[in-house]
Amino acid sequence: MDAAVSLLDRHDVDGLTMRRLAERLDVTPTALYWHVRTRDDVLDLAVDRIFGEVPVPPVSDDWREDVRALVRAWRAAMLDHPWAPGLVGRPMLGPNVLARTEFLQATLVRGGCHGRHLAVVTRMLANYVIGASLTEATWRRTAHPDARAAARAHVAASADAYPTLTASGHLDDGRWSDDLLFEEGLTGLLRAAAGPGTPSEPR
């Protein structure tokens, strides 16, 4: 899958074709179909390959920090391969994805999550990291370096129509970085994740 990931990194999802992949591997396109049925199978395998770059943290005495370590590394892998966040919504059954999802849920169980609450929190965290990564990756890939500043200037120029957005610093990455906002959002999610009777987060 290294060849597929390399092509995706260079050409994005639309640029990955079975013919191009076959050329990279120096085989015929027909030969690829001995190993995969469709291009979608290649994409699924490539995403699972990316998840293999996410280290499974050692288990510590602080379940929140264990979740943080996994989610931070997940976001980093998505940003290293900006085509990936848009594909993670597909059903992912590869061994790397499942191993990290198993770690996440086992860690949340240690934090007091069970049953439906466990399913809800798992989805909250997954949607958060996928959404944040997709937004950041899209800005980095497609926007001009000054695009966010221009968007911020547009909001500020219409302060009468958007007083709250203007006052809050909406789209002002000079005020709060993506990293800071991601970390504080994750902290909020972990506070909400704790099950009844779970000790409060250390200060």
Side-chain angles (χ1 to χ4, degrees):
M1 276 301 106
D2 288 349
V5 169
S6 178
L7 286 172
L8 286 161
D9 287 343
R10 183 173 180 180
H11 299 290
D12 211 332
V13 174
D14 291 340
L16 176 68
T17 65
M18 298 298 275
R19 180 175 298 279
R20 182 172 277 168
L21 180 58
E23 289 173 354
R24 174 64 66 91
L25 295 172
D26 196 24
V27 299
T28 66
T30 302
L32 288 178
Y33 292 103
W34 286 97
H35 304 281
V36 293
R37 291 177 300 171
T38 67
R39 176 176 173 273
D40 284 347
D41 290 341
V42 174
L43 294 174
D44 290 345
L45 290 168
V47 171
D48 194 66
R49 160 67 177 72
I50 296 309
F51 270 81
E53 298 179 8
V54 180
V56 177
V59 175
S60 75
D61 293 333
D62 188 337
W63 68 272
R64 291 180 180 86
E65 285 306 309
D66 293 352
V67 172
R68 282 184 189 279
L70 181 74
V71 169
R72 285 170 180 156
W74 181 359
R75 171 179 174 247
M78 296 294 99
L79 294 179
D80 284 344
H81 305 281
W83 50 269
L87 297 177
V88 177
R90 299 158 57 85
M92 297 286 115
L93 298 176
N96 291 320
V97 171
L98 291 180
R100 283 140 188 86
T101 306
E102 170 67 23
F103 177 88
L104 176 61
Q105 286 212 339
T107 305
L108 292 172
V109 167
R110 288 196 287 122
C113 298
H114 301 280
R116 184 167 63 184
H117 183 55
L118 175 61
V120 168
V121 173
T122 301
R123 182 168 293 189
M124 283 195 323
L125 289 167
N127 288 346
Y128 179 64
V129 69
I130 294 167
S133 300
L134 181 60
T135 300
E136 292 177 51
T138 300
W139 272 104
R140 295 181 187 186
R141 279 190 304 166
T142 63
H144 186 275
D146 298 327
R148 189 172 291 191
R152 174 62 187 162
H154 174 78
V155 172
S158 305
D160 289 344
Y162 312 116
T164 307
L165 296 181
T166 301
S168 73
H170 183 59
L171 297 177
D172 186 356
D173 54 358
R175 189 170 181 180
W176 297 296
S177 69
D178 287 335
D179 290 342
L180 175 63
L181 294 178
F182 183 84
E183 286 293 327
E184 294 201 1
L186 181 55
T187 295
L189 286 176
L190 290 173
R191 286 175 181 155
T198 303
S200 59
E201 185 173 10
R203 296 185 180 274

